[in-house]
């Protein structure tokens, strides 16, 4: 018997969403969320499913030029069931580091997982997170509130040795922007040139101006060690290819 036999008549699905190696129920929630975004003229941009942020696949990935005032322009939606075993803290950090805010949505049978995730993520936020809920029979799909870069304090150190990782789909670009770091009392942007095996930095000047990128003056291993110890801190998401 189909898992969608008792789906509420108010729920509409985007039938163009491809079903991957997943349950019919999980696919239907993704298709319902996708339909909601694509059918609402306030959302303008790219709305896709099973797409990567870095090398982590999000259930729904949105890169928008226009959105409602309370919705970010770039975000992913992750749908979780009671049987899901994803490392949600690590996934949240990975998405945030690559510039994507995160909505977590839990099915109604995943109450314990939802509470555990609220507690887990809440340890790194100034206020408790508000996570979404999905119930197809009841016609309910609430997004909750997004986890954003500005309100989430990434544990330090965390994955320091991978701070200059370039996703596989960007390794052919000429320049990759790894974002901003605080080094002592100075803010720098770090770039790499994959084909030239070089690392460059641009310093922020008074008035918001920046210097032209120049060869990094420090040894990469030393930089990563200081990052691992927390003496150097990331202060912005990865920006990626210009």
């Amino acid at each position: 018997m189909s898992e969608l036999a008792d789906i509420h008549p108010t729920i509409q699905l985007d039938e163009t969403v491809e079903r991957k190696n997943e349950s019919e129920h999980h696919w239907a929630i993704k298709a319902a969320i996708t339909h909601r975004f694509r059918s609402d003229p306030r959302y303008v941009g790219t709305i896709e499913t099973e797409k990567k942020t870095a090398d982590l696949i999000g259930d729904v990935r949105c890169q928008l030029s226009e959105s409602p005032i309370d919705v970010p322009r770039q975000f992913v939606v992750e749908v979780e069931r009671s049987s899901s075993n994803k490392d949600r803290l690590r996934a949240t950090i990975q998405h945030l580091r690559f510039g994507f805010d995160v909505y977590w949505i839990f099915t109604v049978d995943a109450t314990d997982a939802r509470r555990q995730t609220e507690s887990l993520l809440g340890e790194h936020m100034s206020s408790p997170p508000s996570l979404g809920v999905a119930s197809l029979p009841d016609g309910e799909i609430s997004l909750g509130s997004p986890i954003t870069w500005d309100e989430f304090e990434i544990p330090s150190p965390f994955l320091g040795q991978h701070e200059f990782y370039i996703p596989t789909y960007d390794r052919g670009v000429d320049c990759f922007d790894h974002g901003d770091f605080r080094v002592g009392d100075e803010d720098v942007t770090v770039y790499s040139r994959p084909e030239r095996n070089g690392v460059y930095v641009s310093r922020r000047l008074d008035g918001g101006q920046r210097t032209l990128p120049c060869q990094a003056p420090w040894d990469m291993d030393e930089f990563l060690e200081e990052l691992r110890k927390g003496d150097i801190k990331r202060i912005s998401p990865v920006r990626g290819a210009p």
Side-chain angles (χ1 to χ4, degrees):
M1 181 178 178
S2 170
E3 294 182 75
L4 306 184
D6 58 351
I7 188 171
H8 197 276
T10 60
I11 295 289
Q12 298 184 59
L13 307 180
D14 188 322
E15 300 291 346
T16 67
V17 172
E18 183 180 357
R19 182 178 170 188
K20 301 291 186 177
N21 184 25
E22 61 192 333
S23 70
E24 190 176 22
H25 189 194
H26 188 269
W27 168 84
I29 295 173
K30 289 195 315 182
I33 293 168
T34 302
H35 179 273
R36 175 185 293 187
F37 292 148
R38 288 178 175 170
S39 63
D40 188 332
R42 297 177 300 167
Y43 294 88
V44 179
T46 303
I47 300 163
E48 303 172 289
T49 60
E50 298 296 316
K51 294 296 182 180
K52 292 181 177 180
T53 68
D55 285 343
L56 182 64
I57 296 175
D59 286 323
V60 181
R61 187 188 73 181
C62 298
Q63 295 174 288
L64 308 173
S65 58
E66 296 180 24
S67 65
I69 191 170
D70 58 341
V71 176
R73 295 292 178 88
Q74 188 161 271
F75 63 90
V76 296
V77 180
E78 294 282 16
V79 179
E80 296 288 275
R81 301 185 68 182
S82 59
S83 57
S84 301
N85 60 0
K86 184 176 295 181
D87 185 334
R88 300 182 188 103
L89 175 60
R90 183 177 291 263
T92 298
I93 292 171
Q94 290 282 52
H95 288 314
L96 291 177
R97 284 179 66 248
F98 278 84
F100 289 83
D101 295 337
V102 190
Y103 288 94
W104 287 101
I105 297 180
F106 293 80
T107 55
V108 291
D109 66 331
T111 301
D112 288 345
R114 184 170 182 267
R115 288 174 178 166
Q116 290 168 5
T117 305
E118 287 175 336
S119 177
L120 178 69
L121 299 181
E123 293 180 7
H124 307 284
M125 300 173 65
S126 56
S127 59
S130 174
L131 308 183
V133 178
S135 174
L136 295 180
D138 296 324
E140 178 186 6
I141 297 182
S142 62
L143 292 176
S145 298
I147 310 298
T148 69
W149 173 269
D150 291 338
E151 67 181 357
F152 192 90
E153 183 68 27
I154 292 180
S156 181
F158 191 91
L159 296 179
Q161 70 273 27
H162 300 306
E163 286 295 341
F164 301 124
Y165 171 79
I166 299 177
T168 53
Y169 51 78
D170 272 335
R171 289 180 187 168
V173 303
D174 182 59
C175 180
F176 191 86
D177 185 338
H178 294 280
D180 300 335
F181 296 82
R182 183 153 295 137
V183 183
D185 59 357
E186 191 173 47
D187 293 349
V188 302
T189 302
V190 179
Y191 305 90
S192 59
R193 305 287 298 274
E195 293 185 354
R196 301 186 185 185
N197 197 31
V199 178
Y200 301 80
V201 296
S202 173
R203 291 178 167 81
R204 181 181 296 170
L205 303 175
D206 293 339
Q209 298 297 315
R210 288 193 173 275
T211 64
L212 292 173
C214 60
Q215 193 82 32
W218 25 255
D219 177 87
M220 180 62 73
D221 289 338
E222 293 175 351
F223 186 90
L224 291 175
E225 176 60 18
E226 294 299 302
L227 191 66
R228 187 192 65 78
K229 292 189 300 183
D231 294 334
I232 294 176
K233 297 183 181 297
R234 172 179 284 281
I235 58 174
S236 85
V238 174
R239 297 187 186 90

